[in-house]
Amino acid sequence: MRMVKFPHSCIRFETSEGRLVVDPGAFSGSEPLEDPDVILITHVHFDHLDPDAVRDLKARRPDLLIYGPPSLSEFLKDTPFTAVRHGDTIEAAGMTVKVFGEVHAVIHPSIPVIENVGYYFDGIFHPGDSFTVPDLPVHTLLAPTAAPWMKLSEGTDYIDRVAPQRVHPIHEAILSTEGVAVFDRMLDALTAPEYIRLGAGEGVDL
């Protein structure tokens, strides 16, 4: 299996049976949606979901499989998808994907908390915008770097709680180039696992 990182929180998994893309949002560019077989959405914020692009792709590709929390229906409208919740299992693109978590991290007490599910791919975990800790061993954590709902200490504490062997940071679009460098230096120094930032379009074999 190969994992490819795209801007912000978008990840593509490639297997001999297909391509699965997580969170193709407004910052991810068009490449992730060129030829996926499966799309997984963690939550409905614009940086994780481009609803027009997903609806258009489904119209052109009726065989495309789409999964996400029930609230996705409000944004995809009549476009069919499969709603998933904590505890569900998805079989797609030759992968068994387990669903963990229920809610987005708190942005501010005045802002309602929305649905958020994370996806577990045989030891790899994408939490979306949450601090969900799956009850299965995580060897590779796709860890949020910076967001309106978190600060650096919360990010490091989250990595420590999950206790992965490797971290690939995601959710970096709100940082400048200099900001990314600062966060990487600090997260690398403060967390125990191997910390590797993948550039846009860069992949690793797992």
mmCIF file of all heavy atoms in Angstrom, residues 68-112:
data_model
loop_
_atom_site.group_PDB
_atom_site.id
_atom_site.type_symbol
_atom_site.label_atom_id
_atom_site.label_comp_id
_atom_site.label_asym_id
_atom_site.label_seq_id
_atom_site.Cartn_x
_atom_site.Cartn_y
_atom_site.Cartn_z
ATOM 1 N N GLY A 68 -19.042 9.131 4.982
ATOM 2 C CA GLY A 68 -18.841 10.261 5.871
ATOM 3 C C GLY A 68 -19.891 10.259 6.959
ATOM 4 O O GLY A 68 -20.805 9.424 6.970
ATOM 5 N N PRO A 69 -19.804 11.196 7.909
ATOM 6 C CA PRO A 69 -20.803 11.269 8.981
ATOM 7 C C PRO A 69 -22.173 11.636 8.424
ATOM 8 O O PRO A 69 -22.283 12.186 7.323
ATOM 9 C CB PRO A 69 -20.249 12.367 9.887
ATOM 10 C CG PRO A 69 -19.412 13.219 8.989
ATOM 11 C CD PRO A 69 -18.802 12.277 7.999
ATOM 12 N N PRO A 70 -23.242 11.341 9.156
ATOM 13 C CA PRO A 70 -24.589 11.637 8.656
ATOM 14 C C PRO A 70 -24.796 13.081 8.224
ATOM 15 O O PRO A 70 -25.562 13.351 7.295
ATOM 16 C CB PRO A 70 -25.481 11.269 9.853
ATOM 17 C CG PRO A 70 -24.724 10.205 10.576
ATOM 18 C CD PRO A 70 -23.275 10.597 10.445
ATOM 19 N N SER A 71 -24.131 14.036 8.874
ATOM 20 C CA SER A 71 -24.295 15.445 8.527
ATOM 21 C C SER A 71 -23.831 15.776 7.117
ATOM 22 O O SER A 71 -24.141 16.849 6.586
ATOM 23 C CB SER A 71 -23.531 16.329 9.523
ATOM 24 O OG SER A 71 -22.181 15.921 9.642
ATOM 25 N N LEU A 72 -23.128 14.857 6.478
ATOM 26 C CA LEU A 72 -22.679 15.060 5.099
ATOM 27 C C LEU A 72 -23.859 15.232 4.144
ATOM 28 O O LEU A 72 -23.730 15.873 3.095
ATOM 29 C CB LEU A 72 -21.810 13.880 4.673
ATOM 30 C CG LEU A 72 -21.026 13.964 3.368
ATOM 31 C CD1 LEU A 72 -20.101 15.161 3.350
ATOM 32 C CD2 LEU A 72 -20.234 12.672 3.156
ATOM 33 N N SER A 73 -25.009 14.675 4.511
ATOM 34 C CA SER A 73 -26.178 14.738 3.631
ATOM 35 C C SER A 73 -26.604 16.175 3.343
ATOM 36 O O SER A 73 -27.084 16.488 2.254
ATOM 37 C CB SER A 73 -27.350 13.971 4.240
ATOM 38 O OG SER A 73 -27.740 14.553 5.474
ATOM 39 N N GLU A 74 -26.424 17.070 4.304
ATOM 40 C CA GLU A 74 -26.819 18.468 4.121
ATOM 41 C C GLU A 74 -25.998 19.137 3.021
ATOM 42 O O GLU A 74 -26.486 20.044 2.333
ATOM 43 C CB GLU A 74 -26.637 19.224 5.434
ATOM 44 C CG GLU A 74 -27.000 20.697 5.357
ATOM 45 C CD GLU A 74 -26.741 21.424 6.659
ATOM 46 O OE1 GLU A 74 -26.467 20.763 7.680
ATOM 47 O OE2 GLU A 74 -26.811 22.673 6.647
ATOM 48 N N PHE A 75 -24.766 18.680 2.818
ATOM 49 C CA PHE A 75 -23.853 19.309 1.871
ATOM 50 C C PHE A 75 -23.833 18.598 0.516
ATOM 51 O O PHE A 75 -23.643 19.241 -0.511
ATOM 52 C CB PHE A 75 -22.447 19.358 2.462
ATOM 53 C CG PHE A 75 -22.349 20.263 3.662
ATOM 54 C CD1 PHE A 75 -22.781 19.830 4.911
ATOM 55 C CD2 PHE A 75 -21.863 21.549 3.538
ATOM 56 C CE1 PHE A 75 -22.718 20.662 6.016
ATOM 57 C CE2 PHE A 75 -21.791 22.393 4.637
ATOM 58 C CZ PHE A 75 -22.225 21.945 5.879
ATOM 59 N N LEU A 76 -24.037 17.288 0.520
ATOM 60 C CA LEU A 76 -24.067 16.554 -0.748
ATOM 61 C C LEU A 76 -25.456 16.548 -1.360
ATOM 62 O O LEU A 76 -25.622 16.147 -2.513
ATOM 63 C CB LEU A 76 -23.584 15.118 -0.532
ATOM 64 C CG LEU A 76 -22.109 14.950 -0.159
ATOM 65 C CD1 LEU A 76 -21.725 13.479 -0.183
ATOM 66 C CD2 LEU A 76 -21.195 15.757 -1.087
ATOM 67 N N LYS A 77 -26.460 16.976 -0.597
ATOM 68 C CA LYS A 77 -27.845 17.079 -1.068
ATOM 69 C C LYS A 77 -28.325 15.730 -1.586
ATOM 70 O O LYS A 77 -28.387 14.781 -0.836
ATOM 71 C CB LYS A 77 -27.956 18.200 -2.098
ATOM 72 C CG LYS A 77 -27.483 19.557 -1.545
ATOM 73 C CD LYS A 77 -27.728 20.680 -2.491
ATOM 74 C CE LYS A 77 -27.145 21.985 -1.973
ATOM 75 N NZ LYS A 77 -27.655 22.366 -0.641
ATOM 76 N N ASP A 78 -28.651 15.602 -2.876
ATOM 77 C CA ASP A 78 -29.204 14.352 -3.397
ATOM 78 C C ASP A 78 -28.129 13.359 -3.833
ATOM 79 O O ASP A 78 -28.459 12.271 -4.304
ATOM 80 C CB ASP A 78 -30.125 14.638 -4.593
ATOM 81 C CG ASP A 78 -31.361 15.436 -4.195
ATOM 82 O OD1 ASP A 78 -31.799 15.299 -3.037
ATOM 83 O OD2 ASP A 78 -31.869 16.189 -5.035
ATOM 84 N N THR A 79 -26.875 13.727 -3.692
ATOM 85 C CA THR A 79 -25.799 12.807 -4.079
ATOM 86 C C THR A 79 -25.724 11.670 -3.062
ATOM 87 O O THR A 79 -25.578 11.914 -1.858
ATOM 88 C CB THR A 79 -24.452 13.549 -4.127
ATOM 89 O OG1 THR A 79 -24.523 14.572 -5.119
ATOM 90 C CG2 THR A 79 -23.318 12.598 -4.442
ATOM 91 N N PRO A 80 -25.813 10.425 -3.513
ATOM 92 C CA PRO A 80 -25.821 9.307 -2.562
ATOM 93 C C PRO A 80 -24.457 9.084 -1.915
ATOM 94 O O PRO A 80 -23.416 9.254 -2.536
ATOM 95 C CB PRO A 80 -26.214 8.108 -3.434
ATOM 96 C CG PRO A 80 -25.860 8.497 -4.823
ATOM 97 C CD PRO A 80 -26.024 9.982 -4.908
ATOM 98 N N PHE A 81 -24.501 8.732 -0.642
ATOM 99 C CA PHE A 81 -23.292 8.370 0.094
ATOM 100 C C PHE A 81 -23.704 7.429 1.217
ATOM 101 O O PHE A 81 -24.890 7.256 1.504
ATOM 102 C CB PHE A 81 -22.597 9.616 0.650
ATOM 103 C CG PHE A 81 -23.236 10.183 1.900
ATOM 104 C CD1 PHE A 81 -22.697 9.939 3.156
ATOM 105 C CD2 PHE A 81 -24.395 10.956 1.820
ATOM 106 C CE1 PHE A 81 -23.297 10.449 4.304
ATOM 107 C CE2 PHE A 81 -24.988 11.476 2.957
ATOM 108 C CZ PHE A 81 -24.446 11.220 4.208
ATOM 109 N N THR A 82 -22.727 6.836 1.877
ATOM 110 C CA THR A 82 -22.982 5.942 3.002
ATOM 111 C C THR A 82 -22.575 6.631 4.291
ATOM 112 O O THR A 82 -21.414 7.014 4.458
ATOM 113 C CB THR A 82 -22.200 4.627 2.853
ATOM 114 O OG1 THR A 82 -22.600 3.971 1.644
ATOM 115 C CG2 THR A 82 -22.457 3.706 4.035
ATOM 116 N N ALA A 83 -23.535 6.821 5.191
ATOM 117 C CA ALA A 83 -23.245 7.446 6.478
ATOM 118 C C ALA A 83 -22.560 6.442 7.398
ATOM 119 O O ALA A 83 -22.969 5.276 7.477
ATOM 120 C CB ALA A 83 -24.537 7.948 7.123
ATOM 121 N N VAL A 84 -21.509 6.895 8.081
ATOM 122 C CA VAL A 84 -20.788 6.026 9.010
ATOM 123 C C VAL A 84 -20.677 6.716 10.366
ATOM 124 O O VAL A 84 -20.656 7.946 10.467
ATOM 125 C CB VAL A 84 -19.380 5.661 8.489
ATOM 126 C CG1 VAL A 84 -19.485 4.765 7.265
ATOM 127 C CG2 VAL A 84 -18.555 6.910 8.160
ATOM 128 N N ARG A 85 -20.573 5.884 11.389
ATOM 129 C CA ARG A 85 -20.476 6.358 12.763
ATOM 130 C C ARG A 85 -19.404 5.559 13.499
ATOM 131 O O ARG A 85 -18.919 4.543 12.990
ATOM 132 C CB ARG A 85 -21.823 6.212 13.477
ATOM 133 C CG ARG A 85 -22.963 7.014 12.847
ATOM 134 C CD ARG A 85 -24.284 6.654 13.489
ATOM 135 N NE ARG A 85 -25.398 7.466 12.985
ATOM 136 C CZ ARG A 85 -26.048 7.219 11.867
ATOM 137 N NH1 ARG A 85 -25.711 6.183 11.100
ATOM 138 N NH2 ARG A 85 -27.059 8.006 11.488
ATOM 139 N N HIS A 86 -19.088 6.028 14.694
ATOM 140 C CA HIS A 86 -18.127 5.330 15.546
ATOM 141 C C HIS A 86 -18.499 3.856 15.668
ATOM 142 O O HIS A 86 -19.648 3.517 15.942
ATOM 143 C CB HIS A 86 -18.113 5.976 16.933
ATOM 144 C CG HIS A 86 -17.222 5.280 17.917
ATOM 145 N ND1 HIS A 86 -15.858 5.440 17.925
ATOM 146 C CD2 HIS A 86 -17.510 4.402 18.908
ATOM 147 C CE1 HIS A 86 -15.337 4.708 18.893
ATOM 148 N NE2 HIS A 86 -16.323 4.068 19.501
ATOM 149 N N GLY A 87 -17.514 2.989 15.446
ATOM 150 C CA GLY A 87 -17.738 1.552 15.555
ATOM 151 C C GLY A 87 -18.003 0.854 14.232
ATOM 152 O O GLY A 87 -17.953 -0.380 14.164
ATOM 153 N N ASP A 88 -18.269 1.620 13.170
ATOM 154 C CA ASP A 88 -18.512 1.013 11.861
ATOM 155 C C ASP A 88 -17.207 0.538 11.221
ATOM 156 O O ASP A 88 -16.117 1.013 11.554
ATOM 157 C CB ASP A 88 -19.194 2.013 10.925
ATOM 158 C CG ASP A 88 -20.646 2.265 11.287
ATOM 159 O OD1 ASP A 88 -21.212 1.471 12.066
ATOM 160 O OD2 ASP A 88 -21.223 3.259 10.792
ATOM 161 N N THR A 89 -17.363 -0.378 10.263
ATOM 162 C CA THR A 89 -16.231 -0.875 9.477
ATOM 163 C C THR A 89 -16.571 -0.744 7.996
ATOM 164 O O THR A 89 -17.689 -1.062 7.583
ATOM 165 C CB THR A 89 -15.913 -2.339 9.807
ATOM 166 O OG1 THR A 89 -15.541 -2.441 11.195
ATOM 167 C CG2 THR A 89 -14.760 -2.870 8.956
ATOM 168 N N ILE A 90 -15.609 -0.246 7.222
ATOM 169 C CA ILE A 90 -15.779 -0.060 5.784
ATOM 170 C C ILE A 90 -14.829 -1.001 5.060
ATOM 171 O O ILE A 90 -13.647 -1.099 5.400
ATOM 172 C CB ILE A 90 -15.444 1.394 5.381
ATOM 173 C CG1 ILE A 90 -16.340 2.387 6.122
ATOM 174 C CG2 ILE A 90 -15.537 1.583 3.871
ATOM 175 C CD1 ILE A 90 -15.841 3.822 6.044
ATOM 176 N N GLU A 91 -15.326 -1.690 4.057
ATOM 177 C CA GLU A 91 -14.487 -2.517 3.181
ATOM 178 C C GLU A 91 -14.458 -1.837 1.818
ATOM 179 O O GLU A 91 -15.471 -1.767 1.127
ATOM 180 C CB GLU A 91 -15.044 -3.936 3.053
ATOM 181 C CG GLU A 91 -15.149 -4.707 4.370
ATOM 182 C CD GLU A 91 -13.802 -5.141 4.909
ATOM 183 O OE1 GLU A 91 -12.809 -5.115 4.137
ATOM 184 O OE2 GLU A 91 -13.729 -5.504 6.099
ATOM 185 N N ALA A 92 -13.310 -1.294 1.439
ATOM 186 C CA ALA A 92 -13.239 -0.541 0.186
ATOM 187 C C ALA A 92 -11.806 -0.480 -0.308
ATOM 188 O O ALA A 92 -10.863 -0.385 0.490
ATOM 189 C CB ALA A 92 -13.771 0.874 0.383
ATOM 190 N N ALA A 93 -11.623 -0.542 -1.636
ATOM 191 C CA ALA A 93 -10.305 -0.430 -2.279
ATOM 192 C C ALA A 93 -9.319 -1.426 -1.693
ATOM 193 O O ALA A 93 -8.126 -1.135 -1.557
ATOM 194 C CB ALA A 93 -9.771 0.991 -2.161
ATOM 195 N N GLY A 94 -9.804 -2.605 -1.336
ATOM 196 C CA GLY A 94 -8.925 -3.633 -0.790
ATOM 197 C C GLY A 94 -8.486 -3.377 0.630
ATOM 198 O O GLY A 94 -7.544 -4.004 1.118
ATOM 199 N N MET A 95 -9.155 -2.459 1.323
ATOM 200 C CA MET A 95 -8.782 -2.092 2.677
ATOM 201 C C MET A 95 -9.954 -2.297 3.633
ATOM 202 O O MET A 95 -11.111 -2.161 3.247
ATOM 203 C CB MET A 95 -8.336 -0.626 2.739
ATOM 204 C CG MET A 95 -7.256 -0.252 1.756
ATOM 205 S SD MET A 95 -6.885 1.516 1.784
ATOM 206 C CE MET A 95 -6.079 1.653 3.372
ATOM 207 N N THR A 96 -9.617 -2.629 4.873
ATOM 208 C CA THR A 96 -10.596 -2.640 5.951
ATOM 209 C C THR A 96 -10.368 -1.387 6.780
ATOM 210 O O THR A 96 -9.301 -1.204 7.367
ATOM 211 C CB THR A 96 -10.443 -3.886 6.830
ATOM 212 O OG1 THR A 96 -10.684 -5.059 6.037
ATOM 213 C CG2 THR A 96 -11.435 -3.857 7.987
ATOM 214 N N VAL A 97 -11.361 -0.510 6.803
ATOM 215 C CA VAL A 97 -11.241 0.777 7.476
ATOM 216 C C VAL A 97 -12.201 0.803 8.657
ATOM 217 O O VAL A 97 -13.398 0.569 8.494
ATOM 218 C CB VAL A 97 -11.573 1.942 6.515
ATOM 219 C CG1 VAL A 97 -11.332 3.280 7.202
ATOM 220 C CG2 VAL A 97 -10.768 1.833 5.231
ATOM 221 N N LYS A 98 -11.673 1.094 9.838
ATOM 222 C CA LYS A 98 -12.502 1.185 11.032
ATOM 223 C C LYS A 98 -12.747 2.653 11.380
ATOM 224 O O LYS A 98 -11.854 3.491 11.232
ATOM 225 C CB LYS A 98 -11.844 0.451 12.198
ATOM 226 C CG LYS A 98 -11.695 -1.051 11.940
ATOM 227 C CD LYS A 98 -11.130 -1.778 13.136
ATOM 228 C CE LYS A 98 -10.974 -3.261 12.862
ATOM 229 N NZ LYS A 98 -12.261 -3.928 12.565
ATOM 230 N N VAL A 99 -13.949 2.942 11.851
ATOM 231 C CA VAL A 99 -14.366 4.308 12.143
ATOM 232 C C VAL A 99 -14.324 4.542 13.650
ATOM 233 O O VAL A 99 -14.876 3.766 14.430
ATOM 234 C CB VAL A 99 -15.789 4.573 11.606
ATOM 235 C CG1 VAL A 99 -16.205 6.012 11.868
ATOM 236 C CG2 VAL A 99 -15.864 4.255 10.108
ATOM 237 N N PHE A 100 -13.652 5.639 14.043
ATOM 238 C CA PHE A 100 -13.533 5.991 15.453
ATOM 239 C C PHE A 100 -13.904 7.452 15.659
ATOM 240 O O PHE A 100 -13.536 8.311 14.860
ATOM 241 C CB PHE A 100 -12.108 5.782 15.955
ATOM 242 C CG PHE A 100 -11.709 4.339 16.126
ATOM 243 C CD1 PHE A 100 -11.023 3.672 15.122
ATOM 244 C CD2 PHE A 100 -12.026 3.658 17.289
ATOM 245 C CE1 PHE A 100 -10.652 2.353 15.276
ATOM 246 C CE2 PHE A 100 -11.662 2.330 17.448
ATOM 247 C CZ PHE A 100 -10.973 1.676 16.448
ATOM 248 N N GLY A 101 -14.581 7.727 16.761
ATOM 249 C CA GLY A 101 -14.866 9.106 17.142
ATOM 250 C C GLY A 101 -16.239 9.572 16.703
ATOM 251 O O GLY A 101 -16.870 8.990 15.816
ATOM 252 N N GLU A 102 -16.668 10.689 17.332
ATOM 253 C CA GLU A 102 -18.011 11.194 17.072
ATOM 254 C C GLU A 102 -18.066 12.703 16.842
ATOM 255 O O GLU A 102 -18.926 13.175 16.114
ATOM 256 C CB GLU A 102 -18.933 10.846 18.256
ATOM 257 C CG GLU A 102 -19.101 9.350 18.462
ATOM 258 C CD GLU A 102 -19.920 9.027 19.694
ATOM 259 O OE1 GLU A 102 -19.704 9.697 20.732
ATOM 260 O OE2 GLU A 102 -20.777 8.129 19.622
ATOM 261 N N VAL A 103 -17.168 13.471 17.474
ATOM 262 C CA VAL A 103 -17.314 14.926 17.429
ATOM 263 C C VAL A 103 -15.994 15.619 17.107
ATOM 264 O O VAL A 103 -14.902 15.122 17.395
ATOM 265 C CB VAL A 103 -17.867 15.490 18.753
ATOM 266 C CG1 VAL A 103 -19.284 15.006 18.987
ATOM 267 C CG2 VAL A 103 -16.975 15.137 19.930
ATOM 268 N N HIS A 104 -16.129 16.779 16.514
ATOM 269 C CA HIS A 104 -15.030 17.690 16.227
ATOM 270 C C HIS A 104 -14.508 18.265 17.540
ATOM 271 O O HIS A 104 -15.243 18.418 18.518
ATOM 272 C CB HIS A 104 -15.581 18.819 15.339
ATOM 273 C CG HIS A 104 -14.583 19.711 14.707
ATOM 274 N ND1 HIS A 104 -13.892 20.678 15.408
ATOM 275 C CD2 HIS A 104 -14.172 19.835 13.410
ATOM 276 C CE1 HIS A 104 -13.103 21.339 14.595
ATOM 277 N NE2 HIS A 104 -13.246 20.850 13.365
ATOM 278 N N ALA A 105 -13.231 18.594 17.574
ATOM 279 C CA ALA A 105 -12.686 19.281 18.740
ATOM 280 C C ALA A 105 -13.376 20.637 18.921
ATOM 281 O O ALA A 105 -13.852 21.242 17.957
ATOM 282 C CB ALA A 105 -11.177 19.479 18.570
ATOM 283 N N VAL A 106 -13.425 21.118 20.142
ATOM 284 C CA VAL A 106 -14.081 22.394 20.445
ATOM 285 C C VAL A 106 -13.242 23.545 19.888
ATOM 286 O O VAL A 106 -12.050 23.668 20.195
ATOM 287 C CB VAL A 106 -14.273 22.567 21.957
ATOM 288 C CG1 VAL A 106 -14.827 23.949 22.274
ATOM 289 C CG2 VAL A 106 -15.198 21.485 22.497
ATOM 290 N N ILE A 107 -13.861 24.370 19.054
ATOM 291 C CA ILE A 107 -13.197 25.564 18.514
ATOM 292 C C ILE A 107 -13.315 26.715 19.506
ATOM 293 O O ILE A 107 -12.342 27.390 19.824
ATOM 294 C CB ILE A 107 -13.813 25.956 17.161
ATOM 295 C CG1 ILE A 107 -13.680 24.805 16.156
ATOM 296 C CG2 ILE A 107 -13.156 27.222 16.610
ATOM 297 C CD1 ILE A 107 -14.434 25.026 14.863
ATOM 298 N N HIS A 108 -14.540 26.923 19.995
ATOM 299 C CA HIS A 108 -14.833 27.962 20.990
ATOM 300 C C HIS A 108 -16.166 27.583 21.624
ATOM 301 O O HIS A 108 -17.045 27.030 20.943
ATOM 302 C CB HIS A 108 -14.929 29.344 20.329
ATOM 303 C CG HIS A 108 -15.060 30.468 21.307
ATOM 304 N ND1 HIS A 108 -16.282 30.897 21.773
ATOM 305 C CD2 HIS A 108 -14.125 31.236 21.917
ATOM 306 C CE1 HIS A 108 -16.106 31.887 22.629
ATOM 307 N NE2 HIS A 108 -14.803 32.116 22.732
ATOM 308 N N PRO A 109 -16.338 27.852 22.927
ATOM 309 C CA PRO A 109 -17.601 27.471 23.574
ATOM 310 C C PRO A 109 -18.848 28.021 22.899
ATOM 311 O O PRO A 109 -19.935 27.444 23.020
ATOM 312 C CB PRO A 109 -17.448 28.038 24.998
ATOM 313 C CG PRO A 109 -15.978 28.054 25.234
ATOM 314 C CD PRO A 109 -15.371 28.391 23.898
ATOM 315 N N SER A 110 -18.721 29.118 22.164
ATOM 316 C CA SER A 110 -19.887 29.710 21.505
ATOM 317 C C SER A 110 -20.219 29.067 20.168
ATOM 318 O O SER A 110 -21.255 29.368 19.582
ATOM 319 C CB SER A 110 -19.656 31.213 21.293
ATOM 320 O OG SER A 110 -18.595 31.430 20.360
ATOM 321 N N ILE A 111 -19.339 28.205 19.679
ATOM 322 C CA ILE A 111 -19.536 27.573 18.371
ATOM 323 C C ILE A 111 -20.006 26.131 18.571
ATOM 324 O O ILE A 111 -19.339 25.345 19.257
ATOM 325 C CB ILE A 111 -18.225 27.588 17.547
ATOM 326 C CG1 ILE A 111 -17.785 29.044 17.318
ATOM 327 C CG2 ILE A 111 -18.406 26.857 16.222
ATOM 328 C CD1 ILE A 111 -16.441 29.157 16.603
ATOM 329 N N PRO A 112 -21.152 25.767 17.990
ATOM 330 C CA PRO A 112 -21.649 24.394 18.169
ATOM 331 C C PRO A 112 -20.638 23.356 17.682
ATOM 332 O O PRO A 112 -19.957 23.559 16.671
ATOM 333 C CB PRO A 112 -22.922 24.367 17.308
ATOM 334 C CG PRO A 112 -23.343 25.796 17.212
ATOM 335 C CD PRO A 112 -22.079 26.595 17.202
#
